[in-house]
Amino acid sequence: MRNKELSVKTIFSRLEKETKHARFLFSLLLVVIVFIIDHLLGRQIRTSILLMLPVVIASWYGSTRTGIFLCFVISVIWIIYYMSFINADSFETNNWWNFGIVIISCLIVSTTVGNFKKAYLFEENAADTDKLTGLSNLRGFYEKLTEESRRAK
């Protein structure tokens, strides 16, 4: 169990160090992998819910606009995939319904994660600064002191 926690922490810490373009490409790679898995599993099992993971990564480590852009990329891939690999004549109403639900869900998740990140960053900053003066409080002072002492060594 401990190894799984470390590997997930390693992935997320690695994502924090990467550039925005690399994070977007990683999210796009995850989208392609989900569509490949979806294709390999056939029509009985759909993996569309897994498309939320790359949207969350793009929205958290990029921005809300990056997540929304990824939603539109997913929609284009979805239409191309279903028109190419599944008979275009049998593209029924329920396929359009599924398409709409997935895209709307992606947009909602992207916006929610982006807003949550803004709130998180605001609260993180508020924990280290005095609201009235805008100066560092005791916690912020000790964090900066520790950082500077590490840097001085």
Side-chain angles (χ1 to χ4, degrees):
M1 184 71 178
R2 183 88 174 142
N3 291 336
K4 289 182 181 179
E5 290 177 18
L6 289 176
S7 64
V8 170
K9 287 180 183 178
T10 304
I11 291 170
F12 289 130
S13 63
R14 176 74 192 257
L15 279 173
E16 288 177 2
K17 295 175 185 174
E18 292 295 327
T19 64
K20 286 186 178 186
H21 297 298
R23 293 178 206 153
F24 180 75
L25 289 176
F26 177 71
S27 298
L28 200 56
L29 177 67
L30 286 176
V31 169
V32 171
I33 289 171
V34 168
F35 275 106
I36 290 171
I37 292 171
D38 190 54
H39 180 69
L40 293 175
L41 290 176
R43 297 187 79 165
Q44 299 300 322
I45 301 173
R46 290 290 173 217
T47 58
S48 306
I49 192 70
L50 297 177
L51 290 171
M52 297 304 157
L53 179 64
V55 170
V56 168
I57 290 172
S59 299
W60 184 264
Y61 292 104
S63 65
T64 303
R65 287 192 298 174
T66 307
I68 290 172
F69 180 73
L70 187 64
C71 292
F72 288 113
V73 169
I74 289 171
S75 66
V76 168
I77 293 172
W78 182 292
I79 290 172
I80 292 170
Y81 170 74
Y82 277 97
M83 292 295 186
S84 300
F85 292 109
I86 298 176
N87 190 357
D89 300 331
S90 68
F91 202 73
E92 301 165 352
T93 306
N94 74 349
N95 289 334
W96 285 109
W97 173 259
N98 292 341
F99 168 76
I101 293 297
V102 168
I103 298 308
I104 290 171
S105 299
C106 284
L107 291 171
I108 290 171
V109 165
S110 175
T111 306
T112 304
V113 168
N115 289 338
F116 181 75
K117 182 180 179 185
K118 287 177 190 174
Y120 173 77
L121 292 175
F122 177 78
E123 292 298 326
E124 188 178 48
N125 183 39
D128 293 339
T129 58
D130 181 52
K131 192 172 185 177
L132 183 62
T133 61
L135 299 173
S136 292
N137 60 14
L138 193 59
R139 176 182 166 170
F141 172 75
Y142 282 125
E143 283 184 11
K144 288 180 184 173
L145 182 65
T146 306
E147 180 183 320
E148 289 299 322
S149 65
R150 279 189 206 141
R151 198 169 64 98
K153 288 182 181 181

